[in-house]
Amino acid sequence: TLVGNMGMNARITEFENGKKIARFSLATDKGNKDGDSTNKTEWHQVFAWGNLAQFIEKYGEKGKQLAIHGRLVTRTYLSREGIQRKITEIEVKHIIGM
């Protein structure tokens, strides 16, 4: 479960079968233990399918605060240069606070 702000408007992809996927970044802040007011921002790559993707497309926007509950997914892909890379993302299962 993460609570943060959307770092960008979601990129929506619609497939031939009509299903959608929404991809966006989520910024979360981690406060320091010593009481310093400086926060460290961490960035997460997030995606959602189907009805959640449609919900994010309709109501999500850069800066919007939300809470997501999901699971980590690691996948491999080929970069534009043809190099195989790995990425770990969060697949949204539930969303609150938009």
Side-chain angles (χ1 to χ4, degrees):
T1 301
L2 295 171
V3 177
N5 295 81
M6 290 181 69
M8 58 188 279
N9 292 336
R11 292 184 317 274
I12 307 298
T13 303
E14 186 168 356
F15 298 97
E16 290 179 13
N17 63 5
K19 297 212 179 212
K20 291 184 179 184
I21 186 170
R23 294 186 177 278
F24 61 96
S25 58
L26 183 74
T28 58
D29 287 330
K30 179 180 177 182
N32 292 333
K33 293 179 183 178
D34 61 6
D36 186 356
S37 63
T38 306
N39 288 334
K40 180 183 177 199
T41 301
E42 298 208 15
W43 290 92
H44 313 275
Q45 296 303 311
V46 180
F47 69 94
W49 292 99
N51 291 337
L52 289 171
Q54 290 177 331
F55 182 80
I56 292 165
E57 180 181 28
K58 186 172 182 177
Y59 297 108
E61 61 186 21
K62 182 179 178 176
K64 186 79 98 167
Q65 186 176 44
L66 58 124
I68 62 167
H69 180 75
R71 68 184 187 104
L72 290 175
V73 176
T74 300
R75 64 181 175 89
T76 57
Y77 68 97
L78 286 178
S79 70
R80 290 182 180 155
E81 297 81 24
I83 300 169
Q84 186 171 328
R85 302 209 186 258
K86 271 189 173 182
I87 185 171
T88 300
E89 302 170 298
I90 300 163
E91 179 181 6
V92 177
K93 295 296 186 179
H94 302 281
I95 193 165
I96 301 170
M98 297 182 84

